[in-house]
Amino acid sequence: MGPGRIALSGYEIQEVLGQGGFATVYRARQLAVGREVALKVDSRVLSTPRDRQRFLREVTAAGQLSGHPHVVPVYDAGVLADDRPYMVLELCPGGSLGERLHRQGALPPKEARDIGVGLADAVAAAHAAGVLHRDIKPGNVMVNRYGGVALTDFGLAAMPRPGRELSVTREALTPAYAPPEAFRSAEPSPAGDVYSLAATLYALLRGFPPHHPDDGTQLSLAELIVRHTWPYVPLQGMPTALNDVLRHALAPDPAERLSDAGAFRDALAAVDLDTVHLGGNGGPGGFGPAPTMTTVPYHRDAPPVQDAIPDSTAAPGRPGGGGATTVATAPGGGDGGGGRRGGRPTRLVALLAAVVVSVTVSVTVVTQQYFGSDGGGTSGTDAPSAEATAQHQGATGFGVPTTTENCPATSVDGVGGRCVASPECWSGIVDISGIITVSRADCAAEHVWETFAIAPLPEDGMTNNARDLIKHPDVKALCSQRVMAATMLPEGRTLAKEWQTDVIPPTASEWDKGLRVFRCVAAARTENGQKTGSQFAVAN
């Protein structure tokens, strides 16, 4: 349909940019502000109030995400005189990543990974807002005028609820990127978006979607459905860590899949691609800090994240060992139902822990016995000294201000344990095949973990591998239920009768800078695995 067939007050229609089965996209000029925009006109007619309600739901869903840097903004929406709905979007003159793949083939590994991190953050924000995308693919990733990438077509389906109509039919899915369960008429879920997101990243790295022939041969729908059940084929020349993340996100069975977009984002950001040499056979690779790009966890109602610790959002590296290691998460079952806030893993990560890796937290036990009459007491606390004052100012290599005043961590002989002078809170801890990911959280907002002790690494345990670190007797002694319970404030015992503990080793960035400290952290066993406020503030 040519531009002459469309008339919309306030807009000058210029040309057709693209046309698909459900919509036509025009280049247009928004006259009031003098900017070029993309005008997307749906081919379906909203002939009933129910149809109009569905469209308004989609527009509202898309509008909620417009402020995210990796979501194409929605400027306006409405219904034409012939009852066809339209949306006015940011014009992305760089086209789509699907077009770039067709022209140039696979992207450089670090560029592809960084794009994946940004897109995963957008998907995490969508799921937190109750929105599913349902058609993530390179063709729906646009390049704006500044070279940034952003997902378009958000709002095509709201998060499904009992008795609620879905806005997108299964025929509208793109088979090469759709999750296997979509072909079995399963209800859409966040895990399906994660699969499509991972398949998109796989295509950016390889040039073709998962299970497609290297020569680009087109496959029938029946063959695609069968191939979706095949085992994951590792990407050659990429670190094992990257292939592990993609393998978990592309699991054919959604019950065994990494179903949380935020956890996928964090694990992906932790993969170090500095040592990648194309044409190699993968290998363990290096694990390092997240890439330097603006892909912060996003939630439109979330308060700003504190950043008192330099590089604290970088995922701690775990050199060596490719086996399953500890995953410590907030308790509670997960059903992939978008139980996240501010892009931080909660119950969905508990599901990941149950099906992806073995849980081996040796220091996690029920702590109710320590909440007796003397459970909150402090023993062996040293009086403040000149050294304590200096360390309170963060002057002796802990990276943050610490103190020994009213600090039960000092009761563990020979470890050098201390307390952080100000509360430290964290998101869920994710561990996938040797990669640990944890992000600093605002203690005033919902979070999972809180620091209750900090200490130098043992002289005979100089490692940032949490799997090895947790086995050291000094670490076990400090990150114990006894120390945790003695440090807890009374409101913590009111919040939950059971708590669990874990250890956070130095991040890869901290390790490179010579910072050799570890943290003991605790999480409450609450209904949703999250809490607010500080339950371990040191009384000065």
Side-chain angles (χ1 to χ4, degrees):
M1 178 181 295
R5 301 284 300 276
I6 294 292
L8 181 60
S9 177
Y11 295 89
E12 178 186 296
I13 313 301
Q14 297 175 341
E15 63 176 324
V16 175
L17 291 176
Q19 191 166 9
F22 290 96
T24 301
V25 181
Y26 301 89
R27 180 193 298 270
R29 184 173 180 81
Q30 192 174 14
L31 300 178
V33 293
R35 66 179 169 192
E36 287 193 318
V37 296
L39 172 64
K40 183 174 183 178
V41 180
D42 201 302
S43 60
R44 293 164 289 188
V45 175
L46 303 181
S47 57
T48 67
R50 183 184 183 186
D51 290 338
R52 289 177 178 267
Q53 184 179 24
R54 181 195 67 186
F55 174 67
L56 291 174
R57 182 175 71 233
E58 294 173 352
V59 170
T60 300
Q64 288 177 350
L65 302 169
S66 287
H68 193 284
H70 299 290
V71 174
V72 175
V74 178
Y75 296 143
D76 193 10
V79 181
L80 297 176
D82 59 3
D83 289 331
R84 286 184 295 158
Y86 68 87
M87 298 175 70
V88 180
L89 308 165
E90 178 187 20
L91 181 66
C92 294
S96 73
L97 289 187
E99 294 167 342
R100 180 176 171 183
L101 281 178
H102 181 72
R103 294 191 310 265
Q104 303 177 14
L107 277 59
K110 290 190 70 173
E111 181 184 1
R113 188 279 307 274
D114 290 358
I115 288 173
V117 171
L119 297 180
D121 195 65
V123 175
H127 291 176
V131 178
L132 293 179
H133 191 287
R134 294 202 63 205
D135 195 20
I136 301 171
K137 59 184 178 181
N140 276 337
V141 181
M142 309 303 294
V143 181
N144 64 26
R145 68 181 71 250
Y146 305 107
V149 296
L151 267 172
T152 189
D153 279 354
F154 264 112
L156 287 179
M159 193 74 80
R161 298 177 184 172
R164 186 172 183 174
E165 177 194 8
L166 294 178
S167 302
V168 177
T169 64
R170 290 177 177 84
E171 289 75 13
L173 299 174
T174 305
Y177 298 94
E181 62 269 20
F183 304 108
R184 301 192 298 269
S185 298
E187 290 299 318
S189 71
D193 273 356
V194 171
Y195 182 97
S196 299
L197 178 63
T200 296
L201 176 57
Y202 189 99
L204 297 181
L205 289 163
R206 177 176 172 246
F208 302 102
H211 309 304
H212 271 240
D214 287 331
D215 60 4
T217 302
Q218 295 298 310
L219 302 174
S220 68
L221 178 60
E223 190 169 7
L224 269 175
I225 293 174
V226 172
R227 284 173 174 250
H228 271 335
T229 64
W230 288 6
Y232 174 83
V233 179
L235 288 162
Q236 294 299 307
M238 300 296 168
T240 299
L242 178 60
N243 277 308
D244 285 341
V245 173
L246 289 171
R247 178 183 293 107
H248 294 315
L250 290 169
D253 185 349
E256 297 178 355
R257 186 182 308 151
L258 174 56
S259 59
D260 181 77
F264 178 75
R265 172 202 63 211
D266 295 343
L268 187 61
V271 178
D272 179 17
L273 290 175
D274 288 333
T275 57
V276 170
H277 299 286
L278 294 180
N281 58 0
F287 308 137
T292 54
M293 60 183 298
T294 54
T295 53
V296 296
Y298 166 87
H299 192 283
R300 60 194 180 95
D301 298 322
V305 177
Q306 297 175 348
D307 57 357
I309 302 178
D311 301 313
S312 63
T313 56
R318 286 188 159 187
T325 55
T326 303
V327 172
T329 68
D335 58 1
R340 293 169 47 82
R341 183 173 178 83
R344 302 183 180 102
T346 55
R347 282 187 287 179
L348 290 174
V349 179
L351 173 62
L352 169 64
V355 299
V356 176
V357 294
S358 61
V359 179
T360 59
V361 186
S362 59
V363 297
T364 299
V365 293
V366 175
T367 63
Q368 191 170 2
Q369 65 266 32
Y370 291 114
F371 291 163
S373 58
D374 60 349
T378 303
S379 61
T381 303
D382 296 330
S385 62
E387 179 191 10
T389 303
Q391 291 196 9
H392 183 86
Q393 298 303 319
T396 59
F398 281 86
V400 293
T402 64
T403 182
T404 58
E405 292 187 63
N406 301 305
C407 178
T410 61
S411 66
V412 182
D413 293 336
V415 177
R418 306 177 67 84
C419 293
V420 290
S422 300
E424 275 189 349
C425 298
W426 309 87
S427 65
I429 299 174
V430 182
D431 187 325
I432 304 176
S433 298
I435 306 172
I436 187 172
T437 302
V438 63
S439 299
R440 184 75 183 268
D442 187 343
C443 290
E446 290 182 339
H447 58 273
V448 180
W449 298 91
E450 183 175 353
T451 303
F452 66 87
I454 186 170
L457 291 174
E459 291 185 3
D460 57 347
M462 286 292 171
T463 177
N464 62 349
N465 186 326
R467 176 187 56 187
D468 296 331
L469 189 60
I470 197 63
K471 297 176 183 178
H472 196 284
D474 288 353
V475 178
K476 282 186 177 182
L478 187 65
C479 298
S480 66
Q481 297 291 321
R482 180 187 66 81
V483 175
M484 184 271 293
T487 313
M488 185 179 294
L489 296 175
E491 49 264 40
R493 300 164 201 168
T494 303
L495 176 67
K497 293 182 178 180
E498 298 179 9
W499 289 71
Q500 62 187 110
T501 64
D502 199 9
V503 60
I504 297 179
T507 69
S509 177
E510 290 170 341
W511 184 270
D512 291 341
K513 295 175 182 177
L515 193 62
R516 303 290 193 265
V517 299
F518 68 92
R519 287 169 167 78
C520 301
V521 293
R525 291 186 178 273
T526 59
E527 181 179 354
N528 66 359
Q530 294 191 337
K531 64 188 185 73
T532 56
S534 171
Q535 282 77 44
F536 296 93
V538 177
N540 291 310

